[in-house]
Amino acid sequence: MIILAIESSCDETAVSITRDGREVLADEIFSQVDIHAVYGGVVPEIASRNHIQVITRLADSALQKAGIGRREIDAVAVTYAPGLIGALLVGVNFAKSLSAALNVPLIPVHHIRGHIAANYIAYPNLEPPFLCLVISGGHSQIIDVRSYTEMAVIGTSRDDAAGECFDKVARVLDLGYPGGAALDKLAIGGDDTKYPLPRATIADSPYDMSFSGLKTAVLNLVHNAAQKGVKLDRPALAASFSAAVSDTLVPRTLKAAGELGRSRVAIAGGVAANSRIRGDFEKAAARDNITLYVPPLRLCGDNAGMIGCQGYYEYLAGTRADAALNAYATLGI
Ligand code: KG4
Ligand code: ZN
């Protein structure tokens, strides 16, 4: 089954062609990162306009690279939530038009479910059930993946997402936007014990997380140092911060896996590219006899291959949309 899938929830426009879910024949991505970097964050209106400008070209180029003709498309899948509403609507309307013109089914896909599905592409033998930590610019959630389409949120961030926290700290360290990857690089070789930073816990909610206190602690530390004219050890601060984020994520996820009896744990989302978090997960999983699934970097960030993959399993489960499909800025998994 050939699916053309579209992702436009934030600042990446992507179109993929997949066969039977896991085989990615083409995955075209246009990143708007450079366009938004000058503003220090994603400007929703500009994101929507850029999606409109490139989406048709990306779809043509994905078909060409996959060697697939329009008439060979069996279904169209699209991210419809959560994300920036105007950005999502560009993809949703393009998908609606395409499915109507080709007279093929339209499959709505939840963006977070797509991130989880990146693991199916990376690991051809992986099947539910397993536990997945999704860490992206907008979400930090521990999700019990019971089947391809049945999921339960076990823990979630009560305030900032992990990626949001990385980006704010990177900004105050003048690392540009989005600064997660640059902060990751800066942390290499830094003394992760030099700056003691908080690891928040939430009473009676062992799997929920909070990152706003950590973010504020780093911002205060940087501003106080600037006022006093104290020079900061930047690699040590980046390493201490990365350690605090990792200490918030890794033990919680493995504890939840133990409690739920899951022997397999996957990670997903842009922040899953972080070297400290990946390394800590590898050590902890080996210690706890957990099989760990870590997608390659190109599948951690937003892409349309993951939407096509999840779209296939949604299709098998009978999920369909029609011309009335809307986009939603927030929506439970
Ligand atoms: O999943 P994603 O591409 O988009 C959303 O759905 O949000 O995630 C983007 C986030 C950004 O906050 C970015 O700074 C962060 O992922 N990120 C990283 C790294 N690479 C990307 N954070 C920490 N370390 C990295 N290596
Ligand atoms: Zn994402």
Side-chain angles (χ1 to χ4, degrees):
M1 178 180 188
I2 299 288
I3 293 183
L4 181 145
I6 297 155
E7 158 62 40
S8 70
S9 65
C10 191
D11 60 346
E12 260 99 27
T13 327
V15 180
S16 72
I17 309 290
T18 50
R19 181 184 281 130
D20 297 337
R22 300 197 185 213
E23 192 187 344
V24 182
L25 303 179
D27 194 353
E28 294 293 280
I29 303 180
F30 171 72
S31 172
Q32 304 177 14
V33 158
D34 296 342
I35 298 167
H36 298 281
V38 289
Y39 303 99
V42 178
V43 183
E45 176 68 8
I46 295 175
S48 311
R49 281 170 193 272
N50 278 279
H51 287 313
I52 292 170
Q53 279 166 12
V54 302
I55 196 161
T56 310
R57 176 173 61 76
L58 284 185
D60 281 340
S61 137
L63 284 167
Q64 200 180 17
K65 285 203 177 152
I68 293 285
R70 281 180 206 182
R71 293 285 153 201
E72 292 173 78
I73 298 169
D74 296 307
V76 177
V78 63
T79 304
Y80 75 115
L84 300 172
I85 192 73
L88 285 165
L89 279 169
V90 175
V92 165
N93 283 309
F94 188 85
K96 278 189 204 176
S97 315
L98 195 59
S99 96
L102 298 174
N103 196 24
V104 297
L106 176 64
I107 311 162
V109 177
H110 191 286
H111 183 74
I112 302 299
R113 289 185 177 211
H115 271 301
I116 295 170
N119 280 282
Y120 302 138
I121 299 171
Y123 298 95
N125 298 322
L126 175 64
E127 284 181 19
F130 58 91
L131 194 72
C132 188
L133 172 72
V134 182
I135 34 178
S136 71
H139 300 269
S140 307
Q141 292 187 320
I142 301 170
I143 295 166
D144 191 31
V145 184
R146 295 175 180 164
S147 76
Y148 286 109
T149 52
E150 290 162 289
M151 297 165 209
V153 177
I154 304 301
T156 188
S157 174
R158 294 287 186 94
D159 38 56
D160 296 351
E164 213 175 328
C165 195
F166 263 103
D167 292 339
K168 294 267 164 60
V169 168
R171 181 146 87 181
V172 82
L173 291 175
D174 298 321
L175 294 170
Y177 178 88
L183 199 141
D184 189 354
K185 233 168 141 185
L186 177 63
I188 293 167
D191 174 4
D192 64 3
T193 60
K194 183 155 181 176
Y195 296 100
L197 293 167
R199 279 99 167 124
T201 54
I202 291 157
D204 304 324
S205 262
Y207 304 123
D208 281 350
M209 302 153 248
S210 163
F211 291 104
S212 73
L214 171 62
K215 177 187 74 183
T216 308
V218 178
L219 300 194
N220 286 344
L221 202 148
V222 173
H223 292 147
N224 286 341
Q227 276 167 6
K228 290 179 189 150
V230 175
K231 201 171 173 306
L232 285 170
D233 180 344
R234 288 163 57 86
L237 181 55
S240 302
F241 167 74
S242 304
V245 176
S246 188
D247 288 349
T248 306
L249 297 170
V250 180
R252 267 180 183 71
T253 307
L254 291 188
K255 188 164 180 263
E259 190 142 307
L260 293 164
R262 298 283 181 236
S263 59
R264 293 174 301 164
V265 168
I267 60 175
V271 184
N274 184 265
S275 59
R276 172 71 193 231
I277 296 169
R278 289 165 91 92
D280 285 354
F281 259 117
E282 271 155 26
K283 278 182 238 153
R287 183 198 62 213
D288 290 3
N289 266 329
I290 293 276
T291 310
L292 183 69
Y293 299 87
V294 182
L297 299 192
R298 74 190 152 78
L299 285 171
C300 288
D302 289 347
N303 65 86
M306 66 188 199
I307 303 302
C309 180
Q310 181 61 25
Y312 175 72
Y313 291 106
E314 298 287 348
Y315 178 84
L316 294 184
T319 312
R320 302 284 186 281
D322 57 23
L325 177 67
N326 203 352
Y328 302 91
T330 56
L331 185 75
I333 197 161

